[in-house]
Amino acid sequence: MLKRKLVVALTAVGLCFGAGEVAAKRVLLKVPVFFGTHLEGLGSTPKWLAEQLNEASGGQVKVKVYEPGKLIPPKGILQAVASGKVNAGYTTPGYNTGILGNKGSLFSAVPFGPNAPEMLAWLYYGDGLKLWREMYAKKGLDIHAIPCGLTAPETSGWFSRPIDKPEDLEGLRMRFFGLGALVMEKLGVSTSLLPSKEIFPALEKGAIDATEFSMPAIDKRLGFSKILKYNYYPGWHQPATVYELVINGKTWKKMDDHQQSVVELACKAAMLDGLALGEAIQFPHMKANIENGVENRYWSKELLDLFEAKWGEVVEEQAAADPDFKKIWDNLSAFRADYKIWNEWAFLPRPGTVRIETSE
């Protein structure tokens, strides 16, 4: 708490009021959110952002958070912000593929893609953020997008029975997110993107057979372990997931440099806090799941290899259908090829893996 207050105080002193400058008109950002703020580690980030930003800006920028559906339906947030119906919103490109196409998901969660550190590197010090904002501009959406939340890896599915071979997936009806859903569909799974509050009732009624949603702490709150007893890892479909604060373009341009800077920095802080919180709160719930009869299972190499092969097919199809998807994917792939040099040498391998030394 002391460190947090210190950061807030320094931010306020350094950014909000330049000596001798006249403060700009105060800005109130009304922010409808995609996930309920009760979902710790997922929906809680915009609430944390509001608390920090309201204090750090010295009152020059205030954020008021609206729970899902209270101001704007979650799926309508992006369009509402672009049109000026509301001046801000909290969402993720992966939930806006109806407007952006599947390329939007590349800025949200990439199957077998970057984990959190690598994603941050590409966004902030590669071309990621530039391409992200370019995507919105090409769609004619008058918004300023800011990466503003980051979650740890997710689990990759809750099932009523073990999934030991590809045939076990055929015919399943499963709630699934993003580009990973396209992979599952290639394996005979029928996918749907249900909002969080509809997943448990759908499982109870038998409308779906399986689901993925988020991390153990959040899945526990949604009650999946009461019905499904096989929870699979790793989250190959979402090694890291990024969220965004979108601000109406006219609103953003009316903000002065100090106001814009404090918002950008608050969102960077929210990225860090969201990741740290997500990493800190999972293991108690994994232990509780085991006590309640849940089996935590790691996908077999056969199935992980199959998921990755089908993901390769998805990439080829999406790149052929959308030149912008290809442009973003090629850029991310080039960055990852270079990052791999660092990644392979700098970090300890997972237990059981073997590093092959070379003279190069």
Side-chain angles (χ1 to χ4, degrees):
M1 178 63 75
L2 180 60
K3 288 184 178 179
R4 189 179 74 174
K5 291 294 184 183
L6 178 61
V7 170
V8 169
L10 289 173
T11 304
V13 170
L15 290 176
C16 292
F17 299 105
E21 293 181 2
V22 178
K25 184 177 179 180
R26 296 187 177 192
V27 175
L28 171 63
L29 297 178
K30 296 183 176 181
V31 181
V33 298
F34 206 99
F35 303 104
T37 59
H38 67 291
L39 297 175
E40 187 181 22
L42 178 64
S44 57
T45 295
K47 182 179 179 181
W48 183 93
L49 175 75
E51 292 170 354
Q52 302 307 307
L53 191 51
N54 290 349
E55 185 173 351
S57 71
Q60 287 300 298
V61 180
K62 293 189 68 68
V63 173
K64 182 174 176 58
V65 172
Y66 293 83
E67 297 293 333
K70 295 296 184 181
L71 189 61
I72 296 291
K75 291 184 179 179
I77 290 174
L78 179 61
Q79 197 63 52
V81 174
S83 67
K85 187 173 182 180
V86 293
N87 63 3
Y90 191 86
T91 181
T92 177
Y95 276 104
N96 292 309
T97 55
I99 299 171
L100 303 172
N102 286 321
K103 59 180 168 288
S105 293
L106 294 174
F107 300 107
S108 183
V110 182
F112 297 95
N115 59 15
E118 187 177 2
M119 178 64 90
L120 289 170
W122 179 59
L123 288 176
Y124 291 131
Y125 292 99
D127 294 326
L129 184 53
K130 181 186 74 172
L131 291 168
W132 188 338
R133 290 172 175 167
E134 182 181 282
M135 172 183 65
Y136 285 125
K138 285 185 175 181
K139 285 291 181 180
L141 298 171
D142 186 21
I143 63 168
H144 182 75
I146 310 172
C148 206
L150 179 63
T151 52
E154 300 197 349
T155 78
S156 56
W158 288 83
F159 300 87
S160 62
R161 52 183 170 80
I163 307 297
D164 296 323
K165 54 188 182 301
E167 292 76 16
D168 294 334
L169 291 168
E170 292 180 5
L172 285 180
R173 298 163 299 169
M174 187 173 184
R175 188 271 181 198
F176 217 95
F177 169 78
L179 293 166
L182 302 179
V183 173
M184 297 301 278
E185 288 171 4
K186 283 183 171 288
L187 296 170
V189 178
S190 175
T191 68
S192 57
L193 188 59
L194 297 175
S196 59
K197 66 180 180 181
E198 295 180 18
I199 300 174
F200 189 86
L203 289 168
E204 275 192 312
K205 295 173 183 176
I208 58 174
D209 308 303
T211 187
E212 65 77 47
F213 184 68
S214 191
M215 301 170 289
I218 297 163
D219 290 351
K220 176 72 173 178
R221 182 178 283 271
L222 296 180
F224 301 155
S225 61
K226 297 176 182 177
I227 300 176
L228 305 173
K229 297 300 183 180
Y230 296 90
N231 192 197
Y232 275 80
Y233 298 78
W236 58 266
H237 67 305
Q238 289 183 258
T241 308
V242 183
Y243 306 88
E244 64 183 347
L245 178 69
V246 287
I247 300 176
N248 175 266
K250 294 182 178 62
T251 299
W252 180 253
K253 290 173 184 174
K254 289 179 181 178
M255 296 167 66
D256 69 13
D257 291 344
H258 290 303
Q259 291 169 328
Q260 291 179 355
S261 293
V262 76
V263 171
E264 294 271 7
L265 283 181
C267 276
K268 274 194 173 182
M271 297 276 276
L272 172 62
D273 185 78
L275 178 60
L277 176 63
E279 292 284 87
I281 63 177
Q282 306 312 323
F283 48 85
H285 300 284
M286 294 179 72
K287 291 178 181 178
N289 283 340
I290 294 172
E291 292 172 0
N292 292 324
V294 170
E295 287 191 29
N296 293 320
R297 291 197 163 200
Y298 203 91
W299 288 110
S300 67
K301 184 178 186 303
E302 175 194 8
L303 282 169
L304 279 175
D305 287 347
L306 179 61
F307 294 148
E308 189 167 15
K310 294 301 180 183
W311 166 236
E313 293 177 12
V314 170
V315 169
E316 289 183 7
E317 293 165 359
Q318 294 298 316
D322 184 350
D324 287 329
F325 184 102
K326 183 178 187 305
K327 177 181 177 180
I328 297 165
W329 175 256
D330 287 349
N331 185 277
L332 174 58
S333 297
F335 184 90
R336 297 199 73 202
D338 284 339
Y339 182 86
K340 185 178 180 181
I341 300 169
W342 165 249
N343 187 54
E344 288 186 343
W345 287 94
F347 299 98
L348 290 169
R350 286 191 68 251
T353 61
V354 177
R355 182 179 304 246
I356 300 175
E357 301 284 351
T358 71
S359 60
E360 296 179 4

